[in-house]
Amino acid sequence: MTRPRSPGDVLLTGASGEIGAAIARLLAARGLRLHLTSRRPARLIPLEKELVRGGAEVFTYALSLSSPHQAERVVRAFFRKAARPVGLIC
C-alpha cells in the first residue's frame, strides 16, 4: 500500500514544549511531514515516536534560535529534505 502524498512539509521550532507538541499533533493529523526542532532534542524523542506510530513522517533537529549558525544549518537541512515546503512555525 502506498502512502498518500503529503500536503507539504512544515518546520516547527520549539516542538518539545507543550504548545509546540500540540501544534505538531495537529499538523500530523492533517498529513503534513514534520521537521521538529528543540534546544533539548532528547525531549523530542517521545513526541517523534508518538507521531510516527500515528503514521506521520518526522525529522528532528537540535536547534537554539539564539545561534545563527545552528538556525542556518537547520533551515538548509529542511529545504534539502522537504519535498514541498509549505510553512515555518516559530
Side-chain angles (χ1 to χ4, degrees):
M1 180 166 120
T2 60
R3 169 180 242 145
R5 182 174 171 222
S6 167
D9 292 70
V10 173
L11 176 60
L12 173 61
T13 65
S16 66
E18 289 181 32
I19 294 171
I23 292 169
R25 289 181 186 103
L26 288 171
L27 295 172
R30 287 167 175 75
L32 290 149
R33 287 176 16 134
L34 303 175
H35 299 256
L36 308 177
T37 75
S38 175
R39 287 176 298 172
R40 299 170 302 268
R43 291 184 59 187
L44 284 176
I45 294 169
L47 177 61
E48 177 184 20
K49 287 180 180 180
E50 171 192 333
L51 296 172
V52 168
R53 272 193 313 270
E57 282 188 75
V58 180
F59 303 89
T60 60
Y61 311 90
L63 171 64
S64 171
L65 288 176
S66 65
S67 168
H69 298 292
Q70 284 184 19
E72 181 179 353
R73 176 184 54 80
V74 169
V75 169
R76 286 182 188 277
F78 170 66
F79 281 107
R80 261 194 324 273
K81 293 178 181 179
R84 187 167 166 253
V86 295
L88 165 64
I89 302 173
C90 292

